[in-house]
Amino acid sequence: MRKNLSGTVKFVFFAAATAFCFSACGKKNTRTVSRSMQNIRQIEELHVSHEWFCFDGNSIKETELPSVSASASEKPWTEAVRISCAASVPESENSLYKAYALVNRCGLIGFTEDGADLFRDNSLFLDSSVQGLVFSSGSPVFYLYRSTFFFDEKKVSNAASGVQTVRPFLVEFDSRSKNFYPLVSYENMNLEKEDQVTGCFWNGDVWVVGVKNGSQSEIQFKYLWWKPPVALGDLNPALGGENFFIRKSSEQEYLSVCLPKLFEEAPLELKTLLKALPESFSFYVSYRDDSGTTPVSYYHEGKNEQSVNAVAMTSAGKSYSAVVFADGTVFVKKLGFDKVSAFRLPKLPDGFVYGEAAVAGDVMYAAWEEGSSWQTKRSGFIKVNLADIL
């Protein structure tokens, strides 16, 4: 479906590190962040040209404001229609779409500067949650999972149960054919029906996967390590077992990949973006570089009792880097230039926050949603032209 887009966290470092790494099981609480950001007095809300969009069932619709967008029933965040991941395409110069977003329980959005295409496949999205957006030769790759806490196996749709003979794990979207192609199945990973993937990290060479199994009162964890012998796009669930030689990993090895790093270890580009923040400010930021791999998380513990969550990215094409905080505070700069611009996206109503973000050319798309720590109601995204601001 085509929708034209025209017109004018204190971060809690868990004592049990494993619990943090399985945050895919529980949504980060980013809904009480505004007070912390109010201390940055020099950043003001700009009245810049922007457009709001919401999800209405399984379609995208333009809306005047999030508060008057299409109604949605409250659902657990893993079951709700919401943007779970967004990223700019590393090789965007030769790609029709400059950025993508995964829409949980719905599909995938391809973003350009002018519009957004929503692609759906009920056999994949209807009965699985989506996460882990990465890229292989410019094509988006992501994984499917089911929350054992929220998902009801009895409600598996006829579309999924009647079509799928294997359960897809890794999936690729081909922008030329507009189709989704399973790359790896749960069977290839030697995972059982009761296993839930709770973390999946790709560094461009190796996958490290966290899995939990058991009831909520007695949960067991296991860890997998896998180095594909071919490019991701060349994989297929029907390939021989030599392509899926997966060894058991250790908790220590898994944590070494997924645990957040100290902000002092962050790349210079990210440090430059956030140099205006006072040393006392506490924050947690998930940063995507232009490699197309899993984002790396960093944290800085200042004196604030509550830290603020943020997402950061570096885009190809127009080459921006940006940080978007949950309250709408944005730091952005052109790569190769020293000047960092700061502004606030339009203020959201109480109970709403900004989330994942990506840049397509000169345009930034940022997700928004309404709800509580575990529940989501309405959701959508905002479009802002960075060239107007810079």
Side-chain angles (χ1 to χ4, degrees):
M1 151 180 192
R2 178 72 174 182
K3 179 70 182 178
N4 290 326
L5 311 182
S6 58
T8 33
V9 176
K10 182 178 181 177
F11 166 70
V12 180
F13 188 79
F14 291 83
T18 303
F20 170 81
C21 287
F22 289 96
S23 60
C25 305
K27 191 176 183 181
K28 300 184 183 74
N29 185 359
T30 61
R31 303 186 186 282
T32 56
V33 299
S34 296
R35 294 179 186 174
S36 300
M37 300 303 289
Q38 287 174 357
N39 294 326
I40 309 176
R41 302 295 184 186
Q42 69 271 27
I43 302 177
E44 299 181 357
E45 181 178 332
L46 297 182
H47 298 285
V48 296
S49 174
H50 61 272
E51 296 112 53
W52 296 103
F53 298 87
C54 69
F55 297 113
D56 185 0
N58 291 319
S59 63
I60 299 172
K61 289 189 176 180
E62 191 166 0
T63 184
E64 184 179 353
L65 291 168
S67 58
V68 298
S69 61
S71 61
S73 59
E74 191 172 58
K75 294 182 179 181
W77 65 276
T78 59
E79 315 305 300
V81 176
R82 54 182 290 272
I83 290 179
S84 62
C85 279
S88 300
V89 181
E91 299 88 355
S92 66
E93 289 294 343
N94 298 318
S95 175
L96 171 62
Y97 299 104
K98 309 301 182 184
Y100 288 93
L102 291 174
V103 185
N104 197 48
R105 299 299 174 137
C106 182
L108 176 142
I109 301 175
F111 290 116
T112 68
E113 289 184 300
D114 301 318
D117 288 333
L118 175 61
F119 302 97
R120 300 180 57 207
D121 185 329
N122 286 342
S123 68
L124 295 174
F125 291 92
L126 201 58
D127 295 302
S128 294
S129 302
V130 289
Q131 191 59 267
L133 181 61
V134 295
F135 293 91
S136 175
S137 300
S139 294
V141 174
F142 55 92
Y143 72 88
L144 307 176
Y145 72 99
R146 292 172 183 165
S147 167
T148 55
F149 190 90
F150 296 121
F151 185 78
D152 186 354
E153 285 285 351
K154 297 179 181 179
K155 295 182 178 180
V156 174
S157 71
N158 291 330
S161 61
V163 173
Q164 294 176 5
T165 57
V166 296
R167 182 181 169 193
F169 171 56
L170 283 183
V171 177
E172 178 187 32
F173 175 73
D174 188 324
S175 61
R176 293 163 296 182
S177 67
K178 309 297 190 296
N179 288 320
F180 295 92
Y181 296 100
L183 301 176
V184 181
S185 71
Y186 272 72
E187 289 78 7
N188 295 143
M189 301 287 289
N190 298 317
L191 296 177
E192 303 295 334
K193 179 180 179 181
E194 297 78 13
D195 287 336
Q196 177 189 338
V197 172
T198 54
C200 189
F201 301 85
W202 168 245
N203 65 6
D205 182 50
V206 171
W207 288 96
V208 179
V209 182
V211 182
K212 78 171 185 177
N213 187 303
S215 65
Q216 297 306 312
S217 60
E218 186 178 356
I219 298 176
Q220 295 181 333
F221 297 104
K222 61 183 177 182
Y223 313 93
L224 306 175
W225 183 99
W226 173 48
K227 184 175 181 178
V230 296
L232 294 182
D234 294 332
L235 291 169
N236 186 295
L239 291 176
E242 66 274 8
N243 291 287
F244 305 103
F245 180 75
I246 299 165
R247 69 168 173 82
K248 290 183 179 180
S249 183
S250 65
E251 180 182 25
Q252 182 179 4
E253 185 176 40
Y254 179 79
L255 294 180
S256 69
V257 175
C258 75
L259 272 181
K261 304 177 185 298
L262 293 172
F263 188 68
E264 286 74 13
E265 302 177 47
L268 179 60
E269 188 68 26
L270 182 57
K271 288 182 178 179
T272 301
L273 281 169
L274 296 178
K275 63 183 179 182
L277 292 181
E279 186 66 24
S280 61
F281 192 75
S282 301
F283 60 88
Y284 167 89
V285 58
S286 176
Y287 176 65
R288 287 183 179 271
D289 59 20
D290 59 356
S291 67
T293 58
T294 300
V296 178
S297 299
Y298 300 93
Y299 76 96
H300 172 72
E301 187 169 7
K303 297 180 180 179
N304 300 70
E305 291 185 1
Q306 182 184 28
S307 73
V308 183
N309 288 351
V311 294
M313 75 291 300
T314 297
S315 70
K318 298 290 184 179
S319 300
Y320 290 97
S321 59
V323 178
V324 180
F325 283 90
D327 77 325
T329 300
V330 179
F331 296 92
V332 62
K333 66 182 287 290
K334 291 276 287 185
L335 292 178
F337 293 83
D338 295 329
K339 180 182 177 181
V340 177
S341 298
F343 67 95
R344 291 189 195 274
L345 294 170
K347 185 178 180 181
L348 291 169
D350 291 341
F352 289 71
V353 292
Y354 287 103
E356 290 286 315
V359 176
D362 281 321
V363 174
M364 183 175 73
Y365 296 90
W368 59 263
E369 63 182 72
E370 173 192 25
S372 61
S373 297
W374 298 95
Q375 305 281 341
T376 297
K377 292 183 181 179
R378 292 173 286 186
S379 63
F381 56 89
I382 187 174
K383 173 194 175 188
V384 177
N385 193 318
L386 296 177
D388 292 344
I389 297 168
L390 301 182

